[in-house]
Amino acid sequence: MKLYVSGRTPNPRRVSVFLAEKGLHIERVDLDIMKEEHKDAGFVAMNPWQRVPVLVLDDGTAICESIAICRYVEALHPMPPLFGTTPTSQALIEMWNRRLELNLLAQIAAIFRHSHPAMAHLEVPQVPAWAQANRPKVDESLAILDRELANREFIAGDTYSVADITGLIALDFMKPVKLTIPDGLDHIRRWHETLRARPSGSVW
Ligand SMILES: N[C@@H](CCC(=O)N[C@@H](CS)C(=O)NCC(=O)O)C(=O)O
């Protein structure tokens, strides 16, 4: 089994943090996306969308999408459970993971991809106005999340889950994008510090 990643990029990191929480190690193949190593024919055959991470199983099956990879790992190694254990916890974790992906991580990524000169060869066309349009959306999501986190330790309840991993990666991704958590959002700040303080919190 081999995990295709690329340096310090956010989506492969979701899998790395997940594996760290499980205490697992998978052999890694590190591609340099800046040199477009993920655009060679062999990799494109595994993922026509040309994105990392990809987990390649021993029989050649390629599992793309970070959450699909995490689900596969969870099925093989259920402990500790990071996708929930009851119908309600499973649904809430799925809900929060999707909300964090669609309403926070995607917006931060859009700002980065559509404004950073180094991304121009990967994000075609690069639309700076789309980067600008996403800035207020990040603040809106952070304000909502801050209110939610007022009453619980983790985003989907009282236990750590894959949704927290998506949150950690999104919040850490704000730094290279030069975004900061607005003043007054103390619950988000506390949550971020809690996630970073875990042994998995500094893993790449
Ligand atoms: N939804 C995908 C997103 C994967 C993704 O966007 N990966 C980035 C690195 S964080 C990538 O491979 N970028 C290469 C490119 O933009 O060409 C997942 O969760 O795995």
Side-chain angles (χ1 to χ4, degrees), residues 45-84:
M46 293 190 296
N47 187 358
W49 269 274
Q50 305 167 15
R51 293 285 189 274
V52 282
V54 176
L55 180 68
V56 182
L57 308 186
D58 293 342
D59 70 358
T61 304
I63 304 176
C64 307
E65 295 297 326
S66 39
I67 289 298
I69 296 169
C70 291
R71 280 196 183 281
Y72 177 77
V73 172
E74 175 103 347
L76 291 179
H77 302 275
M79 300 306 287
L82 297 174
F83 280 93

Side-chain angles (χ1 to χ4, degrees), residues 3 10-24 28 70 82 160-162 164-166 168-169 172 195 198-204:
L3 181 64
N11 284 291
R13 185 175 173 221
R14 297 165 77 185
V15 177
S16 301
V17 173
F18 190 90
L19 291 172
E21 287 287 337
K22 296 276 184 185
L24 298 170
R28 294 156 69 102
C70 291
L82 297 174
Y160 181 90
S161 74
V162 70
D164 294 295
I165 296 176
T166 302
L168 168 72
I169 271 61
D172 280 355
L195 301 179
R198 297 171 76 87
S200 68
S202 50
V203 163
W204 279 87

Side-chain angles (χ1 to χ4, degrees), residues 82-84 89-98 156 161-163:
L82 297 174
F83 280 93
S89 66
Q90 287 171 349
L92 290 177
I93 289 166
E94 178 74 18
M95 175 183 90
W96 279 109
N97 188 61
R98 289 180 68 82
S161 74
V162 70

Side-chain angles (χ1 to χ4, degrees), residues 80-189:
L82 297 174
F83 280 93
T85 52
T86 64
T88 305
S89 66
Q90 287 171 349
L92 290 177
I93 289 166
E94 178 74 18
M95 175 183 90
W96 279 109
N97 188 61
R98 289 180 68 82
R99 284 174 156 178
L100 286 163
E101 257 180 7
L102 299 171
N103 302 307
L104 188 64
L105 182 57
Q107 279 70 20
I108 297 167
I111 298 170
F112 184 72
R113 296 179 67 94
H114 286 277
S115 65
H116 200 295
M119 292 303 293
H121 67 116
L122 293 179
E123 190 59 55
V124 182
Q126 200 176 40
V127 184
W130 182 235
Q132 282 304 114
N134 274 283
R135 289 178 183 277
K137 294 176 196 283
V138 171
D139 284 347
E140 278 166 32
S141 290
L142 291 174
I144 292 171
L145 290 166
D146 192 71
R147 290 195 291 275
E148 293 287 336
L149 286 160
N151 302 314
R152 56 185 185 268
E153 184 172 7
F154 297 109
I155 194 59
D158 293 331
T159 50
Y160 181 90
S161 74
V162 70
D164 294 295
I165 296 176
T166 302
L168 168 72
I169 271 61
L171 293 174
D172 280 355
F173 196 17
M174 289 175 65
K175 193 171 175 187
V177 183
K178 297 187 171 52
L179 298 171
T180 51
I181 298 173
D183 287 344
L185 301 189
D186 297 336
H187 304 297
I188 287 261
R189 221 175 285 280

